Amino acid sequence: MKGINAPSAAEGRQPPPGLAFAAQRPAGAGRPGPRRPTPAAARPDLTRPAEHCREPLPTPGALTKMSALRASRMLRTIAWRGWRSHSSKPAQNTHISKPGAGFSFELTDEQKEFQATARKFAVEEIIPVAAHYDKSGEYPLPLIKRAWELGLINSHIPESCGGLGLGSFEACLITEELAYGCTGVQTAIEANSLGQMPVIIAGNEQQQKKYLGRMTEEPMMCAYCVTEPGAGSDVAGIKTKAEKKGDEYVINGQKMWITNGGKANWYFLLARTNPDPKAPASKAFTGFIVEANSPGIQIGRKEINMGQRCSDTRGIVFEDVRVPKENVLIAEGAGFKIAMGAFDKTRPPVAAGAVGLAKRALDEATKYALERKTFGKPIVEHQAVSFMLAEMAMKVELARMAYQRAAWEVDAGRRNTYYASIAKAFAGDVANQVATDAVQIFGGNGFNTEYPVEKLMRDAKIYQIYEGTAQIQRMIIAREHVGKYKA
């Protein structure tokens, strides 16, 4: 079955460049000697935008002179020559090919370019308007269009469909920076990746070119329609049905909590095609690509959520919606494995978003602690506060390593279910803990909407809920862990 929890051809290739999680030693080589530490002056400071990225971003006026295809690949103007060779396909990792190199936490120059560009966009264009979108609940279409122009959206789309074809690792670097600016905006963008992923891993050439290709031609969204009012974590409990009639399937049912539900151009939809209630999930469900403007689709009201309020979340009703058989992914009965396989690829970016929020909370709390004074000195000089900041920093760093490992496993062509769930569960918890501690450090001010941390605290909660709750992730981790000992 194409791309679904099956060994990839990439397993025989070298791991992708950038972060390396596998030490290698040339055949016949002896034990490597100690690695010489890198001088502090030579270490890159990834906490600040690179100097060359402080130049103004291209103006919208200049972008309008470009063709749509060229505009969608705007990032080429920054460091195009190396990105595709390093990012879209695994290549020899120079960090682990030398004797004694072992682990390497150095990013490639191209990965640093992506990171710096996304960071600059978040700081200069997202943060100044984040509070407005949070209060108004408006969909951040101007920001989404700008992200599309810069190539910061749809990064997973293959080159064969006109996309950049980036790896999961690069996508996660971008996601963390966007989430630093606003996770509501980032979720609206990342929902595209979730909607696209079933088509990327299971779509045939015609399906990919038709539905992924159009997203590289102009800014548009898609959505992942799986959750229902009575089926969230229990995906096998889905009630939406698809009945085959001639060369079409007729779909009836209701979906709920669909991100980008009211903005999507098309949906990935999971529906039951086997009427036997005893049929196993692996054979009972089918994945479909559904045009959002199909007759019979009724889009519900925008839900007003606790956090991430500019993200478009809705319920959708499907009433006698007809879908051609050409829009079935792989085959009838393959939908459950496709849907679950997509999560392995999209949970690392969700974890990266949680890390971005946590890093923002840490930065805001640290700056405030340096300025706020009590008992004649900045509160950062009180051990109680400094220890809180230390704990927050520890959690952010470890959560980042977790999502990077999960993403690296994907790009190395390995099944990453175990690491994806660890990253998603841990980073989601960290986002909530760090945001809560940031509010505590702000004291009464942290409880007020005039300060940024109360929004961060509200935005953080969803990371323990969507794309698999914190409890579901622990079930998966336990199953994978114990399975190693039963094998």
Side-chain angles (χ1 to χ4, degrees):
M1 199 171 286
K2 181 180 178 182
I4 307 301
N5 295 336
S8 166
E11 290 189 358
R13 301 179 296 197
Q14 289 290 338
L19 219 58
F21 288 97
Q24 295 183 351
R25 188 183 306 168
R31 181 177 297 276
R35 187 180 184 185
R36 181 175 301 174
T38 304
R43 297 172 189 156
D45 183 0
L46 299 183
T47 64
R48 298 181 180 181
E51 291 294 332
H52 61 273
C53 286
R54 294 180 183 174
E55 295 295 324
L57 289 168
T59 63
L63 287 167
T64 58
K65 298 178 182 179
M66 303 179 184
S67 65
L69 180 59
R70 186 179 178 189
S72 70
R73 301 176 181 177
M74 185 60 196
L75 282 175
R76 289 183 179 185
T77 62
I78 303 173
W80 178 250
R81 283 192 295 270
W83 287 350
R84 290 200 171 186
S85 62
H86 286 288
S87 304
S88 61
K89 56 188 72 173
Q92 179 157 340
N93 190 330
T94 56
H95 296 297
I96 62 174
S97 61
K98 300 176 182 178
F103 288 115
S104 172
F105 293 96
E106 178 71 16
L107 301 180
T108 66
D109 290 341
E110 293 74 27
Q111 289 166 342
K112 292 176 185 177
E113 294 285 357
F114 278 121
Q115 185 184 59
T117 302
R119 182 175 301 165
K120 186 175 179 66
F121 174 62
V123 170
E124 295 187 359
E125 301 199 37
I126 296 179
I127 290 178
V129 296
H132 163 74
Y133 283 113
D134 178 62
K135 292 175 182 177
S136 69
E138 298 173 32
Y139 192 68
L141 188 57
L143 291 175
I144 289 174
K145 287 182 177 179
R146 184 66 170 141
W148 181 86
E149 291 168 351
L150 290 169
L152 298 174
I153 188 172
N154 302 327
S155 61
H156 294 290
I157 293 180
E159 292 180 82
S160 60
C161 298
L164 294 175
L166 301 188
S168 180
F169 193 92
E170 287 82 6
C172 285
L173 293 178
I174 292 171
T175 296
E176 180 183 342
E177 299 303 331
L178 297 180
Y180 184 94
C182 174
T183 55
V185 175
Q186 176 264 318
T187 292
I189 291 174
E190 189 57 38
N192 255 20
S193 297
L194 179 58
Q196 294 163 3
M197 196 54 64
V199 182
I200 292 174
I201 66 176
N204 58 40
E205 183 178 358
Q206 182 180 1
Q207 291 167 337
Q208 289 184 349
K209 287 187 178 297
K210 181 177 181 180
Y211 290 100
L212 300 179
R214 70 173 64 167
M215 306 192 85
T216 67
E217 297 169 358
E218 61 179 296
M220 62 176 58
M221 313 308 287
C222 62
Y224 183 89
C225 289
V226 173
T227 302
E228 297 185 0
S233 297
D234 182 16
V235 177
I238 283 175
K239 302 298 183 184
T240 297
K241 297 180 180 179
E243 182 181 358
K244 189 173 184 181
K245 293 186 176 181
D247 291 336
E248 297 178 317
Y249 286 82
V250 179
I251 298 175
N252 285 279
Q254 181 180 0
K255 299 297 182 178
M256 190 62 196
W257 309 117
I258 306 304
T259 304
N260 285 346
K263 306 297 180 181
N265 176 266
W266 55 270
Y267 309 118
F268 164 75
L269 180 136
L270 189 66
R272 176 178 284 273
T273 47
N274 190 327
D276 182 1
K278 296 182 179 180
S282 60
K283 297 180 180 179
F285 302 98
T286 300
F288 298 90
I289 304 172
V290 182
E291 297 278 2
N293 61 358
S294 300
I297 292 180
Q298 303 170 32
I299 299 174
R301 66 178 177 86
K302 173 182 166 64
E303 299 294 333
I304 308 302
N305 294 325
M306 174 183 179
Q308 301 193 4
R309 291 176 175 169
C310 68
S311 173
D312 186 81
T313 306
R314 300 174 187 255
I316 305 176
V317 174
F318 296 82
E319 185 175 351
D320 292 332
V321 177
R322 295 183 175 274
V323 179
K325 66 179 183 180
E326 290 77 18
N327 282 27
V328 171
L329 289 173
I330 297 183
E332 189 172 304
F336 187 80
K337 289 184 178 180
I338 295 171
M340 296 302 100
F343 281 141
D344 284 350
K345 308 297 188 298
T346 59
R347 280 173 178 157
V350 171
V355 172
L357 184 150
K359 181 62 166 64
R360 174 75 182 281
L362 174 60
D363 286 355
E364 295 289 352
T366 303
K367 290 186 289 185
Y368 184 83
L370 288 166
E371 297 171 357
R372 171 71 169 163
K373 292 183 178 181
T374 62
F375 306 104
K377 60 182 179 181
I379 63 173
V380 75
E381 295 182 14
H382 297 298
Q383 189 179 71
V385 174
S386 66
F387 275 19
M388 286 181 69
L389 292 171
E391 291 283 348
M392 293 160 72
M394 290 161 57
K395 292 172 181 176
V396 169
E397 294 295 336
L398 291 172
R400 180 179 292 118
M401 291 178 67
Y403 88 64
Q404 290 182 343
R405 175 63 187 265
W408 185 88
E409 291 285 337
V410 171
D411 293 340
R414 301 186 181 122
R415 181 174 178 269
N416 77 326
T417 304
Y418 177 70
Y419 292 107
S421 287
I422 287 177
K424 203 276 182 181
F426 186 70
D429 290 348
V430 163
N432 280 268
Q433 294 162 4
V434 173
T436 300
D437 285 346
V439 170
Q440 189 68 25
I441 289 173
F442 271 71
N445 290 335
F447 197 65
N448 188 275
T449 59
E450 295 300 314
Y451 292 83
V453 290
E454 68 86 25
K455 175 183 181 296
L456 296 176
M457 187 173 177
R458 287 187 288 106
D459 289 347
K461 184 57 192 174
I462 194 63
Y463 283 108
Q464 292 178 316
I465 301 174
Y466 63 11
E467 289 210 34
T469 65
Q471 290 69 38
I472 287 294
Q473 302 311 317
R474 283 162 171 79
M475 289 175 60
I476 295 171
I477 295 165
R479 182 191 68 207
E480 295 291 318
H481 171 69
V482 174
K484 298 175 184 177
Y485 290 82
K486 290 183 177 180

